[in-house]
Amino acid sequence: MLFHVTMNVRIPHDADPRHIEALKAQEKARCADLMAAGVWRHIWRVAGQYKNRSIFDVPDNAALHEILMGLPLFPFMEIEVEALCRHPSSIRDDDS
Amino acid sequence: MLFHVTMNVRIPHDADPRHIEALKAQEKARCADLMAAGVWRHIWRVAGQYKNRSIFDVPDNAALHEILMGLPLFPFMEIEVEALCRHPSSIRDDDS
Amino acid sequence: MLFHVTMNVRIPHDADPRHIEALKAQEKARCADLMAAGVWRHIWRVAGQYKNRSIFDVPDNAALHEILMGLPLFPFMEIEVEALCRHPSSIRDDDS
Amino acid sequence: MLFHVTMNVRIPHDADPRHIEALKAQEKARCADLMAAGVWRHIWRVAGQYKNRSIFDVPDNAALHEILMGLPLFPFMEIEVEALCRHPSSIRDDDS
Amino acid sequence: MLFHVTMNVRIPHDADPRHIEALKAQEKARCADLMAAGVWRHIWRVAGQYKNRSIFDVPDNAALHEILMGLPLFPFMEIEVEALCRHPSSIRDDDS
Amino acid sequence: MLFHVTMNVRIPHDADPRHIEALKAQEKARCADLMAAGVWRHIWRVAGQYKNRSIFDVPDNAALHEILMGLPLFPFMEIEVEALCRHPSSIRDDDS
Amino acid sequence: MLFHVTMNVRIPHDADPRHIEALKAQEKARCADLMAAGVWRHIWRVAGQYKNRSIFDVPDNAALHEILMGLPLFPFMEIEVEALCRHPSSIRDDDS
Amino acid sequence: MLFHVTMNVRIPHDADPRHIEALKAQEKARCADLMAAGVWRHIWRVAGQYKNRSIFDVPDNAALHEILMGLPLFPFMEIEVEALCRHPSSIRDDDS
Amino acid sequence: MLFHVTMNVRIPHDADPRHIEALKAQEKARCADLMAAGVWRHIWRVAGQYKNRSIFDVPDNAALHEILMGLPLFPFMEIEVEALCRHPSSIRDDDS
Amino acid sequence: MLFHVTMNVRIPHDADPRHIEALKAQEKARCADLMAAGVWRHIWRVAGQYKNRSIFDVPDNAALHEILMGLPLFPFMEIEVEALCRHPSSIRDDDS
C-alpha cells in the first residue's frame, strides 16, 4: 500500500555538528536498507530545500509509523503523510 | 529532468456534465499517451480527494508547461510544481 | 486499518433543494450500511458546523477512496484523510 | 459529552531527556487511568507524526480543561478542542 | 456551560433581497427569544464587519448545535465554536 | 466602549519558573483590580489552551493599549484586539 | 480616536456595470463628505490592487461601524479594522 | 525604479470565451508596447500555472498603479506588488 | 512617494535588557529625526500590540530600504511594505 | 533554463557576529562569481526586508540545487523555487 510522505528537515543552528553528521550517516544507511527492501520505493530531493518527497510501500499505517518514527533524523523532521491509491489513468503495473 | 506536480481538480457544480465527462475521457487518454512516452512517469490518486500526485520527466520547464497547459482538465485544476533532483540517499538508478 | 476522516459539507446556495434532500437521504442510508458493516466505525457532528469527524476501518487506501468517492454528498465535500495507528497509551483492544 | 481533541507534541531539542522520559511515563499512566475511567474514550496516533486524535467524554468544559491542563506533557502540547455531538446518521448507541 | 461563538455572515450578491430581509427579521426575533431565555447570553457586533462575537450558555454541545443549526441565517454563516470555562482570575460570579 | 481581546500566553520552556509564578500572581491581582473597576468586564478561559477571551470596557483605544501593555504577562502574550459595538439584536442594556 | 481600516473591494464579474458605476460615484461623494468632516482622515490606494488603507477619526467604535456599514460599496468590501493610538515616538500633534 | 509584480489570472468558467480572447489579445499587445518602452522590463511564465512574475521599471508608485489598473485582464487578476532596490551583491549595471 | 509600512517588533525573551533599552532610545531619536525631515510622515501604535503602522514619504525604493535597514530595532522587526499612491477619492492635497 | 528563487534570510539573534560577517562576505563573492558566469542572472533586494528575488539560469534542477545548497548563507535561508519559462507576450530575446 502506497503513501506519499513529505519530509522537511530543520536542523537547529546550535545543534552539535558531529552529532548531526552521525545522524545523517545513519539516515542514509537506513534509507538504503529500506529502499533495498522495496519499502522506501522512491525518494527525490526538492530543489533548493532540505526537503524530500518520498513514496513508501508498506503493509499498513502502523508499519509506516514505526518506520518514520525510527528514522534517525525524525526529531528534526516535519512530516506530512498522504494515503495514495492507484490512479484510474495510470498505465503502469508497478504504481500501486 | 523530474518535477513533482500536484493537481487538485475542482469542477464547478453547475458545469455541463457531458462536457466534463468528455474532458475526463480526453484527460485519461492524454495521460496514457504521456505515460507511454515516459513523460508522465508516475501518477497516484490521493485517497478521499479529487487530487493526484504526479512525477513528470521532461527536458525542461517549457516542455512541462506546455504539457500541463494542454491537459483537457487544466482549466479546472489548481496545480503546484516543484523541481526535483536525485536524492543522495537514493539507491535506484531510475529515480532521476 | 483506521483512518481519521474530516468531512466539511458546503452546499451551494443555488443548488436544487429537492436534489440535495435526496442526496442527504441516500447519504444517511449509505452511512448506516457502512456503520453496520463496521467500516464507518465512528461519526460525530462538530457542534455548530455542517462538518463531521469520522473513523473508518478499511483494508487499505484504495478501499477508503472508493467508499469516500462513492458517497452521495462527495461532490459537495471538502475531505481530509489521516492514516491512524494504535496509540501506545491506549488500553482499549478495539481502538486499532 | 464528547469533545474531539488534537494534541501535537513538540519537545524542544535542548530539553533534558530524562525529564522528558519521566513526563512521558507519567503521561502514559495518566492516560491509562483516564481511559479506564471512560473519560479519555479514544486515542489514536497519527501515522508519521508525534500527534494524536482523541475523544474525551466529560461532564462539561471545565472538567475537560482541568484534565488537559493537568496532563504531564501539557506544556509541550499544541491542543485543539472541538465540541462534538451525536451525528444524525450514526447507528451506534455508544457514539454520544 | 459557556461557549464562545463567532458568526461571519456572507450573503451572496445574487441572493433574493426580500428572502434575505425576511431571514434577518426571523434571526433578530430568534436571537431576542434566546437572549430572553438566558441562552444567548451576549452578542456584540465586530466594528466594520458583518460578524458577531457571542457567548452561549447551554446545557451541552448538542443543545448548542441545535440552536446554531436552527438559526434562520445559518446557511449563510461561517461559525467557529470554542468551549469556555471559568477563568481563575475572574471575580464575577456570573461569568461561568 | 467595548473591545474583544484574545490573549494567547506562550511561556518559553527555559523561563525561570519563580519569575513566571511571580508574574502570574501579579497578573491575577491586576486582573481582579481591573474587573472590580469594570474595565476588564469579562474573562473566560478557552478549554484546553493557555488562552483567554476577554471583553474590555474602556474610554478609548489609548486606554486599552496602556492597560494591555501594562499587564505583567504582556511580554509572553500574543494579543488580538477587535473593536466591538452594540449588536442590533441584543436585548441587554449592559452589552454596550 | 483613530482606526486603521483596510478595504479590499471585490466586484463580482457578473455584477451589473451601471449599478456598480453608480455605487462608485456615491462612494466617492460619501468619502469626500467624510474627509471634509475630518472623519475619514486619510485614504491611500495600494498600488496594483483595488484596495485602500485608510485612517478614520471617530468618537467611538459604534460611529466607525455605522460609517463603514453605510458605505455604498460595503457589500463588495472585505474590511479589516485596527484600533490605533498615539505612538510614543511621534512628534506630530495631529497624529492622534 | 523597479517593482516585482506577481499576476495570478483567474478566468471564471462561465466567462464569454470571445470576450476573454479579445482581452488576451489586447493584453498581449499592451504588454509588447510596455516592454518596448522599457517599462515592463521582464515577464516570465510560472511553469504549470496561469501566473507570471514580472519586473516593472517605473518613475513612481502612481505610474505603476495606472499601468496595472489599465491592463485589459486586470479584473481577472490577483496582483502582488513588491518594491525592489539594487542588491549590494549585484554586479549588473542594468539591475536597478 | 508614499509607502505603507507595518513593523511588528519581536524582542527575544533572553535579550540583554540594557542593550534593548539602548536600541529603543536610539530608535525613538531616529524616528523623531525622520519625522522632522518629513520622511517618516505618520506613525501610529496598534492598540494591544508591539506593532506600528507608518507612512513614509521617500524619493524611491532604495531610500526607503536604507532607512528601514538602518533602524536600530530592524533586527527585531518583521516589516511589510506596500507602495501607495494618491486615491482618486481623496480631497486632501497632502495625502500624496 | 530559468528559475525564480526567493531567499528570506533569518539570522538568529544569538549567532556569532564575526561568523555571520564572514559568511556574508563569502556569499557576496560567490554571488559575484555566479553572476559573472551568467548563472545568477538577476538579484534584487526587496525593500525593507532581508529578502531577495533572483533569477537563475541553469542547465537543470540538480545544478540549481547544488548552487543553492552551496551558498554560504544557505543554513539561514528559507528558499522558494519556481520553474519559469518564456512568456508568450515577452518581446525580449534574453528572457528565456
Side-chain angles (χ1 to χ4, degrees):
Chain A
M1 208 170 52
L2 301 186
F3 285 88
H4 178 278
V5 177
T6 302
M7 302 180 200
N8 241 306
V9 181
R10 297 194 196 289
I11 308 283
H13 297 298
D14 53 3
D16 168 10
R18 265 163 306 163
H19 173 55
I20 297 298
E21 284 317 307
L23 287 182
K24 285 183 180 178
Q26 294 163 29
E27 181 86 9
K28 185 161 184 164
R30 179 70 180 133
C31 176
D33 291 346
L34 290 167
M35 291 198 95
V39 171
W40 200 327
R41 182 182 286 195
H42 297 286
I43 181 170
W44 296 284
R45 170 67 80 219
V46 173
Q49 299 182 25
Y50 197 170
K51 172 181 169 185
N52 73 57
R53 299 284 200 179
S54 290
I55 304 294
F56 282 80
D57 183 4
V58 289
D60 55 39
N61 303 349
L64 178 67
H65 184 66
E66 290 315 312
I67 289 166
L68 296 177
M69 286 280 274
L71 290 176
L73 285 176
F74 177 81
F76 303 104
M77 283 182 180
E78 281 166 37
I79 289 181
E80 291 163 49
V81 170
E82 268 179 351
L84 296 180
C85 32
R86 186 174 176 73
H87 193 283
S89 297
S90 180
I91 64 167
R92 296 183 59 138
D93 303 333
D94 63 350
D95 249 359
S96 39
Chain B
M1 209 170 51
L2 301 186
F3 286 88
H4 178 278
V5 177
T6 302
M7 302 179 199
N8 240 306
V9 181
R10 300 193 195 289
I11 308 282
H13 297 297
D14 54 4
D16 168 11
R18 266 160 309 163
H19 174 55
I20 297 296
E21 283 318 306
L23 287 181
K24 285 183 182 179
Q26 294 162 30
E27 182 86 11
K28 185 162 184 166
R30 180 71 180 131
C31 176
D33 292 346
L34 289 167
M35 290 200 95
V39 171
W40 200 326
R41 184 183 284 197
H42 297 287
I43 181 171
W44 297 284
R45 171 66 82 217
V46 174
Q49 300 183 21
Y50 196 171
K51 172 181 169 183
N52 74 58
R53 299 285 200 178
S54 291
I55 304 294
F56 281 79
D57 183 5
V58 289
D60 55 39
N61 302 350
L64 177 67
H65 183 66
E66 290 315 311
I67 289 166
L68 297 177
M69 287 279 275
L71 291 176
L73 285 176
F74 178 81
F76 303 104
M77 284 183 181
E78 279 167 35
I79 289 183
E80 289 165 47
V81 170
E82 268 179 352
L84 296 181
C85 33
R86 184 173 177 74
H87 194 283
S89 297
S90 180
I91 64 166
R92 296 183 60 139
D93 302 334
D94 63 350
D95 249 358
S96 37
Chain C
M1 208 171 53
L2 302 186
F3 286 88
H4 178 277
V5 177
T6 302
M7 302 180 200
N8 239 306
V9 182
R10 299 194 195 290
I11 308 281
H13 296 298
D14 53 4
D16 168 9
R18 266 162 309 164
H19 174 56
I20 297 299
E21 283 317 306
L23 287 182
K24 285 183 182 178
Q26 293 163 30
E27 182 85 10
K28 186 161 182 165
R30 179 70 179 132
C31 177
D33 291 347
L34 288 167
M35 290 200 96
V39 170
W40 199 326
R41 184 184 283 196
H42 297 287
I43 181 171
W44 296 284
R45 171 65 83 219
V46 174
Q49 300 182 23
Y50 196 172
K51 171 181 169 184
N52 73 56
R53 299 285 199 178
S54 291
I55 304 293
F56 281 79
D57 183 5
V58 289
D60 55 39
N61 302 350
L64 177 66
H65 183 66
E66 290 316 310
I67 290 165
L68 296 177
M69 288 279 273
L71 292 176
L73 285 176
F74 177 82
F76 303 104
M77 284 182 181
E78 279 167 36
I79 290 183
E80 289 164 46
V81 170
E82 267 178 352
L84 295 180
C85 32
R86 185 172 177 76
H87 194 283
S89 297
S90 180
I91 64 167
R92 296 183 60 138
D93 301 333
D94 62 349
D95 249 357
S96 37
Chain D
M1 209 170 53
L2 301 187
F3 286 88
H4 178 278
V5 177
T6 302
M7 302 180 200
N8 240 305
V9 182
R10 299 194 195 289
I11 308 284
H13 296 297
D14 52 5
D16 168 9
R18 267 162 306 163
H19 173 57
I20 297 298
E21 284 317 306
L23 287 182
K24 286 184 180 178
Q26 294 162 30
E27 181 86 11
K28 185 160 184 165
R30 179 72 179 131
C31 176
D33 292 346
L34 288 167
M35 290 198 95
V39 171
W40 200 327
R41 184 183 285 195
H42 298 286
I43 181 171
W44 297 282
R45 171 66 81 219
V46 173
Q49 300 182 24
Y50 196 171
K51 172 182 171 184
N52 73 57
R53 300 283 201 180
S54 291
I55 305 293
F56 281 79
D57 183 5
V58 289
D60 55 39
N61 302 350
L64 178 66
H65 184 66
E66 291 315 313
I67 289 166
L68 296 177
M69 286 280 273
L71 290 176
L73 285 176
F74 177 80
F76 302 106
M77 284 183 179
E78 279 167 37
I79 290 182
E80 289 164 47
V81 169
E82 267 179 351
L84 296 181
C85 33
R86 188 174 174 75
H87 193 284
S89 297
S90 181
I91 64 167
R92 295 182 61 138
D93 302 332
D94 61 350
D95 248 359
S96 37
Chain E
M1 209 171 52
L2 302 185
F3 286 88
H4 178 279
V5 177
T6 302
M7 303 180 199
N8 240 306
V9 181
R10 298 193 195 291
I11 308 280
H13 296 298
D14 53 3
D16 168 10
R18 266 162 308 162
H19 174 56
I20 297 298
E21 284 315 307
L23 287 182
K24 286 183 181 177
Q26 294 163 30
E27 182 85 10
K28 186 162 183 164
R30 180 70 178 131
C31 176
D33 293 347
L34 289 167
M35 290 198 96
V39 170
W40 199 327
R41 184 183 284 196
H42 296 288
I43 181 170
W44 296 283
R45 171 66 81 221
V46 174
Q49 300 182 24
Y50 196 171
K51 171 181 169 184
N52 73 58
R53 298 285 198 178
S54 290
I55 304 293
F56 281 79
D57 183 4
V58 288
D60 56 39
N61 302 349
L64 177 66
H65 183 66
E66 291 315 312
I67 289 166
L68 296 177
M69 285 281 273
L71 290 176
L73 286 176
F74 177 82
F76 304 104
M77 284 183 181
E78 281 166 35
I79 290 182
E80 290 163 47
V81 170
E82 268 179 351
L84 296 180
C85 33
R86 186 174 175 74
H87 193 282
S89 297
S90 179
I91 64 167
R92 294 183 61 137
D93 302 333
D94 63 350
D95 249 357
S96 37
Chain F
M1 208 169 54
L2 302 186
F3 286 88
H4 179 277
V5 177
T6 303
M7 302 180 201
N8 240 305
V9 181
R10 300 195 194 290
I11 308 282
H13 297 297
D14 53 3
D16 168 9
R18 266 162 306 163
H19 173 56
I20 297 297
E21 284 316 307
L23 287 181
K24 286 183 179 178
Q26 293 162 32
E27 181 86 12
K28 185 161 185 165
R30 180 70 180 129
C31 176
D33 292 346
L34 288 167
M35 290 199 95
V39 170
W40 200 326
R41 183 181 285 195
H42 297 287
I43 181 171
W44 296 284
R45 171 66 82 218
V46 174
Q49 300 181 25
Y50 196 171
K51 172 182 170 184
N52 74 57
R53 299 284 199 178
S54 291
I55 304 293
F56 281 80
D57 183 6
V58 290
D60 55 39
N61 302 350
L64 178 67
H65 184 65
E66 291 315 311
I67 289 165
L68 297 177
M69 287 280 274
L71 291 177
L73 286 176
F74 177 81
F76 303 104
M77 284 183 181
E78 280 167 34
I79 290 182
E80 290 164 46
V81 169
E82 269 178 350
L84 295 181
C85 32
R86 186 175 176 73
H87 194 282
S89 297
S90 181
I91 65 167
R92 296 182 61 138
D93 302 333
D94 62 351
D95 249 356
S96 38
Chain G
M1 209 170 53
L2 301 185
F3 286 88
H4 179 277
V5 176
T6 302
M7 303 180 199
N8 240 306
V9 181
R10 299 194 195 289
I11 308 282
H13 296 298
D14 53 4
D16 168 10
R18 266 162 307 163
H19 173 57
I20 297 299
E21 284 316 307
L23 287 182
K24 285 184 182 178
Q26 293 163 31
E27 182 85 11
K28 185 160 183 164
R30 181 71 179 131
C31 177
D33 293 345
L34 289 168
M35 290 199 95
V39 170
W40 199 328
R41 183 184 285 198
H42 297 287
I43 181 171
W44 297 283
R45 171 65 82 217
V46 174
Q49 300 182 24
Y50 197 171
K51 171 181 170 186
N52 73 58
R53 299 284 198 179
S54 290
I55 305 293
F56 280 80
D57 183 4
V58 288
D60 54 37
N61 302 349
L64 177 67
H65 184 66
E66 291 315 311
I67 289 165
L68 296 177
M69 286 280 273
L71 290 176
L73 286 176
F74 178 82
F76 303 104
M77 284 182 182
E78 281 166 37
I79 290 182
E80 291 163 49
V81 169
E82 269 178 350
L84 295 181
C85 34
R86 186 174 176 74
H87 192 284
S89 296
S90 180
I91 64 166
R92 296 183 62 139
D93 302 333
D94 63 351
D95 248 357
S96 37
Chain H
M1 207 170 54
L2 300 185
F3 287 88
H4 179 279
V5 177
T6 302
M7 302 180 200
N8 241 307
V9 182
R10 299 194 195 289
I11 307 282
H13 296 297
D14 53 3
D16 168 9
R18 265 162 307 164
H19 174 56
I20 297 297
E21 284 316 306
L23 287 182
K24 284 183 181 178
Q26 293 163 30
E27 182 85 12
K28 186 160 182 165
R30 181 72 180 130
C31 176
D33 293 347
L34 290 167
M35 289 199 96
V39 171
W40 200 328
R41 185 183 284 196
H42 297 286
I43 182 171
W44 296 284
R45 170 66 80 217
V46 174
Q49 301 182 23
Y50 196 170
K51 173 182 170 183
N52 74 58
R53 299 284 198 179
S54 291
I55 305 293
F56 281 80
D57 184 5
V58 289
D60 54 39
N61 301 350
L64 178 66
H65 183 65
E66 291 315 312
I67 289 166
L68 297 177
M69 286 280 273
L71 291 177
L73 285 176
F74 178 81
F76 304 104
M77 284 183 180
E78 279 166 39
I79 291 182
E80 290 163 51
V81 169
E82 268 178 351
L84 295 180
C85 32
R86 186 175 177 74
H87 193 282
S89 296
S90 180
I91 65 167
R92 295 183 61 140
D93 301 334
D94 63 349
D95 249 357
S96 38
Chain I
M1 209 169 54
L2 301 186
F3 286 89
H4 178 278
V5 177
T6 302
M7 303 180 199
N8 241 307
V9 182
R10 300 196 195 289
I11 308 282
H13 297 297
D14 53 4
D16 168 11
R18 266 163 306 162
H19 172 57
I20 297 297
E21 284 317 306
L23 287 181
K24 285 183 180 178
Q26 293 163 30
E27 182 84 11
K28 185 161 184 164
R30 180 70 181 131
C31 176
D33 291 347
L34 288 168
M35 291 199 95
V39 170
W40 200 326
R41 185 183 284 195
H42 297 287
I43 181 170
W44 296 284
R45 171 67 80 218
V46 174
Q49 299 182 24
Y50 196 172
K51 171 181 171 185
N52 74 57
R53 299 284 200 179
S54 292
I55 305 293
F56 281 80
D57 183 5
V58 289
D60 56 40
N61 302 350
L64 177 68
H65 184 67
E66 291 316 312
I67 290 165
L68 297 177
M69 287 280 273
L71 291 176
L73 285 176
F74 178 81
F76 304 104
M77 284 183 179
E78 280 167 35
I79 289 181
E80 290 164 47
V81 169
E82 268 178 351
L84 295 180
C85 32
R86 186 174 177 74
H87 193 282
S89 297
S90 180
I91 65 168
R92 295 184 61 138
D93 302 333
D94 61 351
D95 249 358
S96 37
Chain J
M1 208 170 53
L2 301 187
F3 286 88
H4 178 277
V5 177
T6 302
M7 303 180 200
N8 240 307
V9 182
R10 298 195 196 291
I11 308 280
H13 297 296
D14 53 4
D16 169 10
R18 265 161 305 162
H19 173 55
I20 297 298
E21 284 316 307
L23 287 182
K24 285 183 181 178
Q26 293 164 30
E27 182 84 11
K28 186 162 183 164
R30 180 72 180 130
C31 176
D33 292 346
L34 288 168
M35 291 199 95
V39 170
W40 198 327
R41 183 182 285 194
H42 298 284
I43 180 170
W44 296 284
R45 171 66 81 218
V46 174
Q49 300 182 25
Y50 197 170
K51 172 182 171 185
N52 72 57
R53 300 284 200 180
S54 291
I55 305 294
F56 281 80
D57 183 5
V58 289
D60 54 40
N61 303 349
L64 177 67
H65 184 65
E66 291 315 311
I67 290 166
L68 297 177
M69 288 281 273
L71 291 176
L73 286 176
F74 177 81
F76 303 104
M77 284 182 180
E78 280 167 39
I79 289 181
E80 290 163 51
V81 170
E82 267 178 353
L84 296 180
C85 33
R86 186 175 177 74
H87 193 283
S89 298
S90 180
I91 64 167
R92 295 183 62 139
D93 303 333
D94 61 352
D95 248 358
S96 38

